[in-house]
Amino acid sequence: MGTTQLETVPEPKYWHLKTVLSEALDSEFSVGEILPNERDLAARFGVARATLRQALEQLELEGRLQRRRGVGTTVAPPRMGVAVGTEEQTWPGAADDAWQPADCAMAPPPPAVAHILESVHGEQVHTVRRSRVSRGQPVAAELLYVPASSVAALPAIDTPSVTARARAVLRELQHLELEGQDRAVELGSASAEDAKELDRLPGAPVLVVTTRFFAGGRTAAVSVATYRADTCRLTFGASGGVEIHHGQERRAS
Amino acid sequence: MGTTQLETVPEPKYWHLKTVLSEALDSEFSVGEILPNERDLAARFGVARATLRQALEQLELEGRLQRRRGVGTTVAPPRMGVAVGTEEQTWPGAADDAWQPADCAMAPPPPAVAHILESVHGEQVHTVRRSRVSRGQPVAAELLYVPASSVAALPAIDTPSVTARARAVLRELQHLELEGQDRAVELGSASAEDAKELDRLPGAPVLVVTTRFFAGGRTAAVSVATYRADTCRLTFGASGGVEIHHGQERRAS
DNA sequence: TAGTGGTCTAGACCACAAT
DNA sequence: TTGTGGTCTAGACCACTAC
């Protein structure tokens, strides 16, 4: 990474800076290496810290960098592929799935979910919280909404531990015949709770995967899963296991 | 929208501001309405313009607002569902697909694509550019990479118009037997070219959908499609047509 | 305690769209 | 020409981590 001055181009400085840094990342840094701090970098490129930060933010959004307060900025490893959709459709909580149930409560769903479930106003649903870990890192947090009517056979509230209750709801789902499901993916920003779960700051970019599960001619459950957008690449289809390797060659400086 | 002062909370100002604005958007504004300009808004909330902008940026990322230089900030309509994956796997360019071919060139693929195609260094591939429009708006730009060996039967370079050539490559693909495909979705930022195509500024957040097409026991084509993350929700699975309606109720002020 | 990234300010000027 | 959002500066202080 040189000490090159930026030329006076019609291109925004932060954009040019991003390009320069991106190339330096490819050629002069290896994964995990820590960059000089923001004040030094800004000085080196002759820009204000805010401008330098604009470039770093972009690179972090693209999964090239990881910044941690009190620690520093490090070169991120290539995004990991996370299997989201497979050919066979299954209920959440099936034997092989990647999720770990955390807790469960009865609560009225948020408006968007209530609309999908076509639930009447104020109706309470089982709300199961689950988390997903990959390669030792938390990658996703999920809220699964199951109307009481979908799991009518569930034993009455003998209130065991919340995590046991979560498992009970999931177990009950497996008994239903799954008639179909569909998914939607969109960009979102982490809520305070998601952020905590995902070990990020609130507002961090996330990929929100909304899955509807159909049974008995209606929507029997809805899952809203938020994946870390910086570290994850969601994979769909036949070869969830096959790796697409987007990373560039990197060598130590 | 009130003139309320922000209390001194441990929460960042821009975060609180975002919440306040978000609620105002739900209750006091209707889709398409333009907000007061940034300087006025900042003054009204008693914060610096940069802080106000941080809140607006988040809301734009979430698809709640649309900002256009020289025009103003408007309330965005709910994201549109865009069908990306259907049950039946087809080659790009099939009769019913949503894409419009733009042009075609022979060029060496970018490194990431070359890796997926396992092409030898410097090998040239057909590079077809296509665009996708939904409800009168550009929603995605695609680059489709097809090794010459996948479409060997393509007539020699009689160089008709580039768009005719694009169609010829797509037509040739249909003749191959599609053995399978898979997809990956990740967050990216728009390149200068994509930005132009999508009517956004460079660096705008996009959802990058990478699709691999398998034929003849290998990867016969790769598509890299970038969707506007602010306006699109990507839908997968059986009911690509069924709408998930995430929008909140909105009434005029 | 020292050093990091995160937040915030009060300005300035620029690029673009509409008039 | 006017008004908008986009870029940029040179500071300041805060929250967090590691020592």
Side-chain angles (χ1 to χ4, degrees):
Chain A
M1 180 164 37
T3 321
T4 325
Q5 291 296 315
L6 302 174
E7 309 97 38
T8 59
V9 285
E11 194 177 44
K13 280 190 187 177
Y14 80 90
W15 185 261
H16 185 213
L17 204 45
K18 179 196 144 188
T19 309
V20 172
L21 284 170
S22 179
E23 285 163 3
L25 250 40
D26 287 338
S27 62
E28 299 175 31
F29 287 86
S30 49
V31 171
E33 204 172 341
I34 74 176
L35 271 61
N37 72 52
E38 297 183 349
R39 291 161 180 87
D40 285 352
L41 275 180
R44 199 183 302 203
F45 286 105
V47 299
R49 188 176 159 221
T51 304
L52 185 268
R53 276 179 62 81
Q54 222 175 329
L56 294 185
E57 268 153 33
Q58 280 260 346
L59 290 169
E60 191 179 28
L61 198 76
E62 293 172 20
R64 307 286 312 271
L65 292 179
Q66 181 162 7
R67 297 147 90 200
R68 273 172 305 175
R69 172 157 50 181
V71 179
T73 301
T74 59
V75 180
R79 285 189 177 131
M80 52 184 133
V82 179
V84 171
T86 52
E87 289 302 292
E88 340 76 60
Q89 304 190 336
T90 60
W91 286 107
D96 62 335
D97 88 359
W99 295 88
Q100 182 172 336
D103 64 32
C104 179
M106 283 295 269
V113 173
H115 184 273
I116 298 174
L117 290 172
E118 294 165 26
S119 64
V120 295
H121 178 71
E123 183 184 1
Q124 306 236 325
V125 302
H126 296 283
T127 304
V128 178
R129 208 160 52 79
R130 300 196 299 170
S131 61
R132 183 169 177 174
V133 173
S134 181
R135 305 190 201 172
Q137 266 191 70
V139 293
E142 181 202 42
L143 284 176
L144 178 68
Y145 301 95
V146 183
S149 53
S150 295
V151 288
L154 194 69
I157 306 164
D158 48 355
T159 328
S161 80
V162 281
T163 140
R165 184 133 199 94
R167 282 180 219 279
V169 171
L170 292 172
R171 199 164 46 236
E172 211 58 37
L173 274 181
Q174 316 296 322
H175 299 156
L176 294 177
E177 189 196 352
L178 180 59
E179 292 164 355
Q181 67 183 51
D182 68 9
R183 285 202 173 81
V185 178
E186 62 187 313
L187 180 59
S189 55
S191 67
E193 305 82 58
D194 289 339
K196 201 169 185 180
E197 194 102 20
L198 299 176
D199 192 26
R200 300 257 36 193
L201 289 180
V206 291
L207 296 170
V208 181
V209 181
T210 306
T211 310
R212 299 190 290 181
F213 298 91
F214 303 111
R218 60 190 197 83
T219 305
V222 170
S223 153
V224 178
T226 65
Y227 289 80
R228 282 185 60 153
D230 56 342
T231 57
C232 295
R233 188 180 62 247
L234 309 185
T235 65
F236 294 83
S239 46
V242 182
E243 273 295 289
I244 301 180
H245 189 67
H246 270 199
Q248 294 82 356
E249 266 82 41
R250 285 169 177 135
R251 59 180 181 78
S253 56
Chain B
M1 179 164 40
T3 322
T4 325
Q5 290 296 316
L6 302 174
E7 309 97 39
T8 58
V9 285
E11 195 177 45
K13 279 190 187 176
Y14 79 90
W15 185 261
H16 185 214
L17 204 44
K18 178 196 145 185
T19 308
V20 172
L21 285 170
S22 180
E23 285 164 3
L25 250 39
D26 287 338
S27 62
E28 299 175 30
F29 287 87
S30 50
V31 170
E33 203 172 342
I34 74 176
L35 269 61
N37 72 52
E38 297 183 349
R39 290 162 180 88
D40 286 352
L41 275 179
R44 199 184 300 200
F45 287 103
V47 300
R49 190 177 157 219
T51 305
L52 186 268
R53 276 179 62 81
Q54 221 175 330
L56 294 185
E57 267 153 33
Q58 281 259 346
L59 289 169
E60 191 179 27
L61 197 77
E62 293 172 19
R64 306 286 314 270
L65 293 178
Q66 180 162 10
R67 297 147 91 202
R68 275 171 303 174
R69 169 158 52 179
V71 179
T73 301
T74 60
V75 179
R79 285 189 178 132
M80 52 184 135
V82 180
V84 171
T86 51
E87 288 302 293
E88 341 78 58
Q89 304 190 337
T90 60
W91 287 106
D96 63 335
D97 87 359
W99 296 86
Q100 182 173 335
D103 63 31
C104 178
M106 282 296 269
V113 173
H115 185 274
I116 298 173
L117 290 172
E118 294 165 25
S119 63
V120 296
H121 179 70
E123 184 184 1
Q124 306 238 324
V125 302
H126 296 283
T127 304
V128 178
R129 207 159 52 80
R130 300 195 300 168
S131 61
R132 183 169 178 177
V133 173
S134 181
R135 305 190 199 172
Q137 267 190 72
V139 294
E142 182 202 42
L143 284 176
L144 178 67
Y145 301 93
V146 183
S149 53
S150 295
V151 288
L154 194 70
I157 307 165
D158 48 357
T159 330
S161 80
V162 282
T163 140
R165 184 135 198 94
R167 282 180 219 279
V169 171
L170 292 172
R171 200 164 44 237
E172 212 58 37
L173 276 181
Q174 316 298 321
H175 299 156
L176 295 177
E177 190 196 353
L178 180 59
E179 292 164 355
Q181 67 182 53
D182 69 9
R183 286 202 173 80
V185 179
E186 62 186 314
L187 180 58
S189 56
S191 68
E193 305 83 56
D194 288 339
K196 202 170 184 179
E197 195 103 20
L198 299 176
D199 192 26
R200 299 254 43 192
L201 290 180
V206 290
L207 296 171
V208 181
V209 181
T210 305
T211 311
R212 300 190 290 182
F213 298 90
F214 304 110
R218 60 189 197 85
T219 305
V222 170
S223 153
V224 179
T226 66
Y227 289 79
R228 282 184 60 153
D230 56 343
T231 57
C232 296
R233 188 180 61 248
L234 309 185
T235 65
F236 293 83
S239 47
V242 182
E243 273 295 287
I244 302 180
H245 188 67
H246 270 198
Q248 295 84 356
E249 266 82 43
R250 283 168 179 140
R251 59 177 179 80
S253 56

